Amino acid sequence: MGPLSAWAIRRPVVALLAWLVAVVAVGFAAFALDGKWNDSFSLPNTQSALAQDFLEEVSAQDANSNSATVVWSPNSGTVEDEAVKGQIDTLLTKLSGIQGVTCITSPYGKDYGSACPKKESAAPDFPPGTPPEFAQQVKEAFEKGTTDVTFPEGTPPAAQQQLLDLLKANRAAKEATSTISKDGTVAYATVTFTGAGPAVANPEQADAFVSAVQAASTPTLQVGATGQILTAAQGGPGSSEGIGILAAIIILIILFGSLVAAGLPIVVAVVGLLVGQLLIIVIARFLDVASFAPQLASMIGLGVGIDYSLFILNRFRQETLAGKDPKEAIATAVRTAGRAVLFAGSTVIIALLGLFVLGVTFFYGLAIGAAATVFVVMLAALILLPAVASLLGKHTLGLRMPWARHPKPKPLDQSRWAGYGAMLQKAPWLSGLLALGLVVLLAIPAFSIRQGFPDNGSAAPGSTARIGYDLMSKGFGPGVNGPFFVAVTLPLPLDDTALTKTVEALAATEGVASTIPNRDMLPLYKTATIGGKNSPFSQSGIVTSVLVQPTTAPDDPATNALLNRLRTQTSETIAPTGAAIYVGGTQAVTQDFTNVLISVLPLFLLVVVGLGFIALFLLFRSLLIPLTAAVTSLLSFAAALGVTVAVFQWGWGASLIGVATTGPILPFLPIMVFAILFGLSMDYEVFLVSRMQEGWHATGDNREAVRHGLAGSGKVVVAAALIMSSVFLAFVPVPNDTIKLFGVALASAVIIDAFIVRLVLVPSVMSMFGRANWWLPGWLAKRLPNFSVE
């Protein structure tokens, strides 16, 4: 970056024009490619992934359907009342007109939409010579779910019994799959959208859907909804970035005492962030990128972008106060603080790209999107900022505030931060012990972490999603919101005996409320043929599916216990039949996802922490300093995770930040937070210890070096951490629970790492270690290349 920064200082106008061209080019690419968000998971070689693959063999359309559910319940009477039917007919007609809606299936026998599949009777085919009146009578019985038929004279008893068995099975099927609750107080309709899988709807479509559902709710009729489309409706434009920027401006004005200097880091970060956001849209064209990725990247990019510009501008200010010409001052700042920014930004990028070692494709888009944003804002700090500072010259620190109009340079050893360091060194063991004790105390809740994907049961009371969730639970049982989809492989095509024993074993498992098919429905399966119409079997006749509804809600620990029971005890019970089961569904994916992350976590930590250790080892030519940095980063992570669990799982202070209900922690949050935190904590470590190293080389006194580091970088680290945490906290009020979770986790991580670990624990520990901080075996020192930051 040195040559590019030097070029930007020499040719600032050309550099600014180059940035403008880059912004336009990336914007054009984003507009042309128009990537779409996708929240899909791919977990190769897991049981849930195998279940999904098998289910696609049975019905690819059903396995990859993109649908939502509209559910309603009157405050009095039943859903069959004509007034209720009229209100729902109006709602479903309105919903069918929303762009992207292909079909709506109503429990009242009417379908809405232009692409609804043609309904086919479940009645069996009759042999030639069957009286038409009898065939029509049987067809109507199948449609109504009754067994009322009058057999023609001479019908053999065996044939009569066979048809009666089918009619009873059909009645059982209609009862099991009815979209009206048994007590008649709750009903739902299924809305199908264009596209497949969990592709996220566009905000306009989602807002229109949710607005229509909300408008249908009246004092006498509750209407809610469930489905992926509700996630898109939560992601409307917010003011989080504006709040974070406002907080950053206040901090920067206090630090620099100049309106121009305070505004520059903001402008540079926002320009870099704009390019980063456009790049994420481009990336989404080629990779699966989660719907919350832009907000997460915005959160990270805005924070580090302002911080990186702050570090360089702070050094520029120090050089100008020392009497240097503005161009020389910015050149010096880029050579010193700029190199630290390059190292720090590269560390964050490496930590984010370390997510690739997990082998989970869900992380790829997130990692590349966030890393690309950090890369662009780092480039902005190293190229755009020097160009603007070179162009403005002495006006870079213009429009000074009253307290900064007559700055008086003060030697570092006489600053308040040097005095703070001396205070810590009076009893470093005490300050270190207190800091360590506080971090450990904050980390305690992390040991009770329960991981899982939040469902609509954790949505705000009164919201469309929460009403839908509660009504479905009320009408059809708590397990209806999180069923297991079980793929069954049979030993032989259409093996009725094996299928019957499998269904019986599944239904008999403790914690299972019901199965579809149930035992009473199985006679219908006997009439199925390979490749026949509406066949519940795959083309080979080997694979079929069973829906298992638990007795408990999705986030209930008992549901996870049922999953383990199905995969062990029930699977073993079924094995002698030659059949095998593969359990899928959201809860199964959650468990598999967690297991995958746990299995690859040691490799991830080894790669990320190992690379960080090597980088600091080469930079500071020390063994103890990188070891201290790695261990303290893990402590910061544990404490931040503890705070997150205390708020979102235990509910401590949850109401203060708009968290309506508590629940499990997202399985990917800990590993994502660690990747981000490790990079950020290395930033603060580099800026502090590089100044300590400067003092060590100048004096050879470790205690003096620690004070010199705090005096030289303590103030700017505090400002940077305040800005970073303010940006993260600004995202907490957003309605998207995932972003809210990340906001709290990352803000607490930065606050703990900067104010407790880097500014108390690390200086205390380094003061106690003495000269050992800088020790390196002579034979190793001779073979290492020399690197330096400042």
Side-chain angles (χ1 to χ4, degrees):
M1 288 301 152
L4 285 176
S5 299
W7 166 76
I9 294 169
R10 289 194 312 270
R11 306 287 299 275
V13 175
V14 177
L16 293 176
L17 288 174
W19 263 98
L20 180 61
V21 171
V23 172
V24 172
V26 176
F28 177 78
F31 178 78
L33 295 173
D34 191 25
K36 303 297 183 184
W37 314 127
N38 195 319
D39 290 330
S40 63
F41 284 86
S42 178
L43 298 171
N45 303 318
T46 60
Q47 207 180 121
S48 57
L50 290 172
Q52 178 69 15
D53 292 341
F54 281 127
L55 291 173
E56 288 182 8
E57 289 187 31
V58 177
S59 176
Q61 183 177 356
D62 290 343
N64 293 292
S65 64
N66 184 7
S67 63
T69 298
V70 177
V71 55
W72 59 92
S73 176
N75 291 346
S76 61
T78 71
V79 295
E80 298 283 4
D81 293 345
E82 291 303 319
V84 174
K85 288 183 177 181
Q87 289 176 271
I88 296 303
D89 179 70
T90 301
L91 169 62
L92 299 185
T93 301
K94 185 176 181 180
L95 290 177
S96 66
I98 295 176
Q99 181 182 7
V101 173
T102 58
C103 181
I104 302 177
T105 304
S106 164
Y108 302 133
K110 179 181 177 181
D111 290 344
Y112 304 75
S114 58
C116 290
K118 182 181 178 182
K119 291 184 177 180
E120 296 184 10
S121 174
D125 294 328
F126 293 96
T130 302
E133 298 82 3
F134 177 68
Q136 181 62 32
Q137 185 186 145
V138 172
K139 182 178 179 181
E140 291 177 357
F142 269 92
E143 290 175 352
K144 295 177 181 179
T146 67
T147 57
D148 298 331
V149 292
T150 302
F151 290 96
E153 290 185 12
T155 304
Q160 293 185 33
Q161 187 59 49
Q162 182 181 15
L163 181 57
L164 284 174
D165 287 344
L166 288 178
L167 288 170
K168 291 177 182 178
N170 178 68
R171 181 174 60 188
K174 285 190 174 294
E175 291 174 353
T177 60
S178 174
T179 55
I180 297 178
S181 63
K182 290 182 179 179
D183 61 4
T185 60
V186 181
Y188 67 88
T190 301
V191 183
T192 306
F193 302 93
T194 55
V200 179
N202 64 66
E204 293 78 13
Q205 178 190 26
D207 289 341
F209 179 86
V210 172
S211 296
V213 173
Q214 290 175 339
S217 285
T218 67
T220 60
L221 181 68
Q222 275 190 304
V223 184
T226 63
Q228 186 70 28
I229 193 171
L230 301 183
T231 303
Q234 294 177 355
S239 57
S240 301
E241 291 88 346
I243 296 172
I245 288 173
L246 179 61
I249 288 175
I250 294 172
I251 296 167
L252 289 169
I253 289 175
I254 295 172
L255 177 66
F256 290 124
S258 161
L259 293 179
V260 176
L264 273 180
I266 304 295
V267 172
V268 170
V270 169
V271 171
L273 182 61
L274 172 63
V275 178
Q277 292 287 293
L278 293 172
L279 278 176
I280 293 176
I281 298 175
V282 175
I283 292 167
R285 184 68 174 82
F286 304 100
L287 292 173
D288 288 340
V289 178
S291 57
F292 63 88
Q295 282 185 297
L296 180 62
S298 178
M299 188 190 305
I300 300 167
L302 188 60
V304 300
I306 296 174
D307 277 7
Y308 291 164
S309 295
L310 162 64
F311 289 134
I312 294 174
L313 207 55
N314 182 65
R315 188 58 182 252
F316 168 80
R317 177 174 173 272
Q318 292 176 355
E319 297 299 327
T320 55
L321 289 176
K324 286 187 178 181
D325 174 81
K327 281 188 180 291
E328 184 183 356
I330 190 61
T332 302
V334 171
R335 283 197 308 270
T336 54
R339 292 174 67 183
V341 164
L342 177 61
F343 178 87
S346 300
T347 305
V348 175
I349 292 169
I350 290 171
L352 287 168
L353 295 181
L355 292 168
F356 272 77
V357 305
L358 301 175
V360 179
T361 55
F362 173 77
F363 286 118
Y364 296 170
L366 285 173
I368 293 179
T373 303
V374 172
F375 178 72
V376 173
V377 297
M378 181 181 71
L379 282 184
L382 293 172
I383 299 174
L384 184 59
L385 177 63
V388 175
S390 175
L391 198 62
L392 292 176
K394 63 181 182 180
H395 299 296
T396 302
L397 299 173
L399 299 178
R400 294 179 184 271
M401 305 303 291
W403 65 82
R405 286 173 184 165
H406 304 288
K408 297 178 180 179
K410 182 183 291 187
L412 290 180
D413 59 358
Q414 297 178 21
S415 69
R416 292 180 180 178
W417 278 98
Y420 166 74
M423 181 193 71
L424 287 181
Q425 290 176 336
K426 289 180 180 179
W429 61 270
L430 178 61
S431 56
L433 192 61
L434 289 174
L436 179 62
L438 180 56
V439 170
V440 170
L441 182 65
L442 291 172
I444 289 175
F447 291 99
S448 66
I449 187 172
R450 182 164 58 87
Q451 299 186 67
F453 291 96
D455 51 42
N456 289 333
S458 61
S463 64
T464 300
R466 182 61 178 271
I467 292 173
Y469 179 93
D470 291 343
L471 289 181
M472 290 295 288
S473 296
K474 170 191 171 185
F476 304 94
V480 73
N481 289 299
F484 293 116
F485 298 95
V486 180
V488 181
T489 59
L490 304 172
L492 297 170
L494 310 181
D495 191 326
D496 175 63
T497 301
L499 178 58
T500 300
K501 292 185 179 298
T502 298
V503 170
E504 290 174 346
L506 289 170
T509 303
E510 179 187 352
V512 172
S514 62
T515 65
I516 298 177
N518 55 39
R519 196 181 191 289
D520 293 339
M521 294 169 59
L522 290 178
L524 292 175
Y525 280 60
K526 293 180 181 179
T527 64
T529 57
I530 297 176
K533 67 176 183 178
N534 300 323
S535 174
F537 296 94
S538 64
Q539 289 295 321
S540 64
I542 294 293
V543 183
T544 189
S545 63
V546 178
L547 184 146
V548 175
Q549 180 174 320
T551 58
T552 49
D555 65 346
D556 193 315
T559 303
N560 195 54
L562 170 61
L563 171 64
N564 294 329
R565 206 154 39 240
L566 290 171
R567 288 179 167 179
T568 54
Q569 298 175 12
T570 306
S571 181
E572 292 170 1
T573 301
I574 293 169
T577 68
I581 60 172
Y582 302 88
V583 186
T586 301
Q587 194 63 26
V589 171
T590 300
Q591 185 61 45
D592 289 343
F593 195 25
T594 304
N595 292 340
V596 167
L597 294 186
I598 291 173
S599 66
V600 297
L601 185 60
L603 177 61
F604 172 75
L605 293 177
L606 180 64
V607 170
V608 174
V609 177
L611 288 175
F613 180 92
I614 292 171
L616 293 180
F617 167 68
L618 293 173
L619 185 63
F620 296 119
R621 301 174 67 83
S622 164
L623 292 172
L624 205 50
I625 287 174
L627 180 62
T628 302
V631 172
T632 52
S633 293
L634 290 171
L635 288 172
S636 297
F637 167 67
L641 193 59
V643 171
T644 306
V645 170
V647 173
F648 288 90
Q649 190 174 306
W650 292 3
W652 291 5
S655 60
L656 299 177
I657 59 173
V659 177
T661 54
T662 58
I665 304 299
L666 289 168
F668 56 81
L669 178 119
I671 211 157
M672 284 288 295
V673 167
F674 179 77
I676 298 166
L677 171 63
F678 187 79
L680 298 179
S681 67
M682 290 300 101
D683 289 2
Y684 302 141
E685 184 79 6
V686 167
F687 285 106
L688 275 172
V689 179
S690 62
R691 296 304 290 263
M692 292 180 185
Q693 186 184 44
E694 180 183 291
W696 170 254
H697 288 158
T699 66
D701 184 332
N702 179 71
R703 295 172 70 86
E704 176 64 30
V706 171
R707 293 195 297 272
H708 182 85
L710 287 170
S713 296
K715 183 178 180 180
V716 73
V717 166
V718 166
L722 285 174
I723 290 171
M724 186 84 73
S725 56
S726 297
V727 170
F728 290 156
L729 288 173
F731 283 83
V732 171
V734 302
N736 188 311
D737 289 337
T738 300
I739 294 299
K740 191 188 295 286
L741 193 62
F742 271 102
V744 170
L746 291 173
S748 58
V750 168
I751 292 170
I752 292 166
D753 189 76
F755 294 102
I756 302 176
V757 173
R758 303 299 149 200
L759 294 175
V760 181
L761 182 58
V762 169
S764 300
V765 169
M766 289 186 67
S767 295
M768 288 188 288
F769 285 159
R771 298 177 64 88
N773 288 309
W774 315 101
W775 176 82
L776 193 66
W779 62 269
L780 185 56
K782 293 177 182 178
R783 290 168 172 78
L784 284 181
N786 283 308
F787 294 99
S788 66
V789 174
E790 296 199 40

